[in-house]
Amino acid sequence: MRAIVAIASTTVGEAIRRKVLLIILLIGLLFLSIAPGLGGLSPRQETTVLTSMMLGILQLTSAVIAIVLTVYLIPTEIERRTIYTILSKPVQRWQFLVGKYVGAILALGLMMLLMSGVLLLTYYLLQRDVSRLGEIAKAPLFYFVQMSLLAAVAVFFSTFVSPLVNFFLSGGLYFIGSMLNTIYDTFANSPTTNPAVKAVASVINVIVPNFANYNIQNPIINPGQQIQNPTAYALFTTAYGVFYILILLIGAILIFDKREV
Amino acid sequence: MKKRSVLLAALAALFLVQAGLHAFAIYPRWKRDYAPKTAGQSATGLDPAQFLFALVGFKEFIAGILWVRADSFFEQGNYDAVLPLIRLVTWLDPHQIDVYATGMWHIGYNFTDTEQRSDRRYIPVALAFGAEGARNNPNTYELFFETGWMWYHKIDDNYENAVRWWEEAMKRKDMPPARKNLLSPAYQRNGQIQEALNLYYKLYDEAVERAKKDNAFGNLQIRDTIERNIDTMLVRMVQRGWIAQQKGYYDQGQYDTKPPFDVGFSVRATVEEPAVIRFQGTWNVLPVGTRIRVVLKDKNMPNDQPAGMIWDQGSAVDLEVPVGLTFMQEQLFVRNRRFDKRVDMSNDRTMYPFKAENYVLEFYYNPRSAPPHIQDKFGYNGEGMTDKNFLNTEVRPGQRVVFARLELTRDQILRRGRWMDEVPFVQTSNYVAPNVRQEKSDVIIVPGILAN
């Protein structure tokens, strides 16, 4: 456990020092700050557009950070040969992998926390409405689980593909996973869809990591929708995220164990 | 090796657990509570970049940009380009109430021919669009009101639908008081006179309370307007004999609606040029304000209804209207007891394709749609109106309307075959040519000229 904590804390330090991540973070913060100026695009719905825009920026920036942070996690260590130094100590490969992953999501969490703070502060300064802050703050929490899942996907791929391929592979899977529910819904509800295609869609729907489950911004952007038991939904989606992250990490460990470094 | 087997077994178990969790616990909840509430899930016509943005949470932002673009098309009068943008914006953000309201108005009103007649084939689409907007925004009165307005003002018939939508709008707390008043005339046009009066009383009580709390000019004005409306309505209910009808002594008294007045409707339709029809006829009512509806449409068209069509054709928004259908609706304005109107459809063959072999011309007058000064004679329900030849109580069950039907063929309308040289016309058997002066009363005597 101490090994995992040590590796994780080192990874957090490295992530914070990485200029590329800081630039992405700064761009995200900049966009969050200028987003209120775009609320006027819809004269009667400034709040709707503002909330949508800011949550969108937060989600997109977090996704880019999650991918960029994790695709280099293992390959850089191998390329720089620093992995030999680590693995020559009493550290097992799985501990190294888990430590790296935990460090990455901690760094990601810090960055998301900063962005969420700016988001909530901007919203408060513009709307002077404390009552909705709690509701809006739910979205970043869901996004954090979503990004942790995305980071796990990138860590899994980083054990056997190059960073560039991993970037597009993880990004593509995030893109598909984000619209999985909508696509599945379209197939499942269309009377013209072939039953075989429906069956394939159902299988894909439960195999591919489903990022769409965390896109809960609709009722936040458009208040007034009645949500039945949001706590149960939060628990189920968090459990789903944890299970899928475990699947990906176990898969990564199995591959990384066999890999020559 | 053992460790590897344990991990593989754990992997399989976790996989099954996540699949079950997603399929049975998460997805049904997501669909119910968190899925975007769009009417159609299809992304047809969506640019991939817009789609990507939409998926990662920028739906409302993109919708805003597109609406600004649509607005510039409006300014240029490029209505065709606006339609897909409206669809796209409402797909991305189904809570854009303004877009639904404007889009509905645009679809229902703005596709016109060169003589500014709107393309009524789009009205079912506009109604479906309004219904979709109301479904997606059930907490505000606006789209219920707008859909009701489409029935009340544009369709100007089948008033039960205007009443139905406005009653729904009234259930929403955000409906402004001034707009609530409109339900009363809708009740009157639907023959629900008692309901119309009751509503005025209810709104008056509310207006008095509002004015007591805040004597702002607007509140006082609304209160006074309702008060005047109640006064006028009570007088009209008496003079039109409505109260007597309810009490059962209508036969015994003299009311403005007695005896029923014969409007003496007659018409002749002459195809003067290909797709150009002149309507001439008589209407024995001197006061200005009568507009007789004329409809030219395919014989045996689907969703047919006398003097119109079944406007409410379902809740699915399909922007593709039946392009092969010809449907023209115009108002014949009566002056000095006659009407004479030339309808030119020759420049708009997209709107009037004339693909069918046979067509019907329908003439329709519903006293419920008449202005109040004419209703003072004809009554709320046409009890003060009759027509020796064309009084009809079947095309609108329970209502007294004037309805006549004539037929034309495509060859006649397009002046083909034997009709190239011969001028086709159809007329009612009682038609009297306008140049044959029947009575002295047809001559308008202007005192100034007479003095000279």
Side-chain angles (χ1 to χ4, degrees), chain A residues 175, chain B residues 43-63 65-66 69 84-85 88-89 91-92:
Chain A
F175 177 66
Chain B
T44 312
L46 219 59
D47 178 82
Q50 293 166 349
F51 193 54
L52 172 64
F53 263 58
L55 287 164
V56 293
F58 286 93
K59 287 199 293 118
E60 288 75 10
F61 174 61
I62 293 296
I65 291 173
L66 289 173
R69 185 78 184 121
L85 282 179
L88 197 56
V89 171
W91 183 87
L92 286 169

Side-chain angles (χ1 to χ4, degrees), chain B residues 137-426:
Chain B
N137 300 280
N139 298 325
T140 176
Y141 82 100
E142 292 199 43
L143 290 158
F144 295 92
F145 178 82
E146 297 295 341
T147 313
W149 181 255
M150 183 69 70
W151 281 102
Y152 184 77
H153 179 258
K154 185 66 184 174
I155 297 169
D156 202 11
D157 201 0
N158 310 109
Y159 295 107
E160 67 275 14
N161 292 298
V163 165
R164 180 167 57 87
W165 281 98
W166 283 350
E167 281 180 342
E168 278 300 314
M170 290 276 280
K171 290 176 188 168
R172 273 74 192 170
K173 286 180 182 164
D174 60 340
M175 191 171 182
R179 287 200 161 183
K180 289 180 180 176
N181 294 349
L182 268 168
L183 178 57
S184 186
Y187 274 137
Q188 290 177 51
R189 291 192 176 192
N190 196 37
Q192 297 172 268
I193 311 304
Q194 189 62 55
E195 285 83 349
L197 186 66
N198 292 346
L199 178 68
Y200 271 148
Y201 280 134
K202 178 175 172 281
L203 295 177
Y204 180 72
D205 290 343
E206 288 173 10
V208 168
E209 284 303 311
R210 248 192 330 274
K212 270 185 198 165
K213 283 180 194 160
D214 176 9
N215 65 346
F217 177 70
N219 288 342
L220 298 174
Q221 197 180 31
I222 290 171
R223 182 198 64 192
D224 295 347
T225 304
I226 299 172
E227 193 174 5
R228 273 196 300 277
N229 286 345
I230 291 173
D231 288 347
T232 312
M233 192 172 172
L234 286 169
V235 171
R236 285 192 155 129
M237 285 166 78
V238 174
Q239 290 186 341
R240 294 178 186 179
W242 187 84
I243 291 172
Q245 285 174 38
Q246 305 306 305
K247 301 285 182 189
Y249 52 79
Y250 182 69
D251 295 341
Q252 297 157 30
Q254 288 301 315
Y255 299 100
D256 290 353
T257 47
K258 291 170 77 173
F261 183 79
D262 190 337
V263 294
F265 174 73
S266 72
V267 68
R268 171 179 173 145
T270 310
V271 184
E272 293 190 332
E273 291 170 46
V276 179
I277 305 178
R278 187 174 181 184
F279 299 98
Q280 295 164 291
T282 57
W283 183 262
N284 195 26
V285 178
L286 197 55
V288 178
T290 299
R291 291 174 189 274
I292 300 161
R293 178 185 296 182
V294 56
V295 172
L296 169 71
K297 61 187 176 184
D298 291 6
K299 193 179 178 183
N300 303 322
M301 64 172 272
N303 297 309
D304 196 10
Q305 177 190 237
M309 67 169 84
I310 295 170
W311 304 108
D312 194 351
Q313 294 177 14
S315 57
V317 180
D318 183 1
L319 299 178
E320 297 296 321
V321 296
V323 287
L325 173 71
T326 297
F327 189 97
M328 185 283 296
Q329 184 175 318
E330 182 56 285
Q331 304 288 337
L332 304 173
F333 187 66
V334 179
R335 234 186 241 116
N336 296 332
R337 301 178 183 175
R338 296 194 186 283
F339 56 87
D340 188 341
K341 175 95 182 177
R342 192 172 185 268
V343 173
D344 185 349
M345 295 168 280
S346 62
N347 298 317
D348 304 279
R349 296 305 291 275
T350 313
M351 236 171 101
Y352 312 115
F354 293 112
K355 298 242 176 178
E357 283 295 324
N358 297 296
Y359 297 85
V360 289
L361 275 170
E362 291 176 336
F363 301 88
Y364 174 75
Y365 180 79
N366 189 342
R368 285 186 175 180
S369 313
H373 69 281
I374 289 181
Q375 275 190 342
D376 284 342
K377 175 63 198 161
F378 288 175
Y380 286 112
N381 205 23
E383 57 272 24
M385 177 198 80
T386 190
D387 188 288
K388 198 165 57 183
N389 302 297
F390 301 107
L391 183 73
N392 191 307
T393 53
E394 288 168 4
V395 293
R396 296 289 183 275
Q399 298 176 45
R400 290 163 66 86
V401 302
V402 171
F403 180 76
R405 201 165 192 263
L406 299 170
E407 292 195 15
L408 281 169
T409 65
R410 180 169 58 182
D411 287 349
Q412 286 176 320
I413 294 172
L414 299 179
R415 300 288 297 271
R416 289 176 181 168
R418 64 174 271 222
W419 304 106
M420 284 177 79
D421 302 318
E422 197 178 330
V423 177
F425 68 89
V426 284

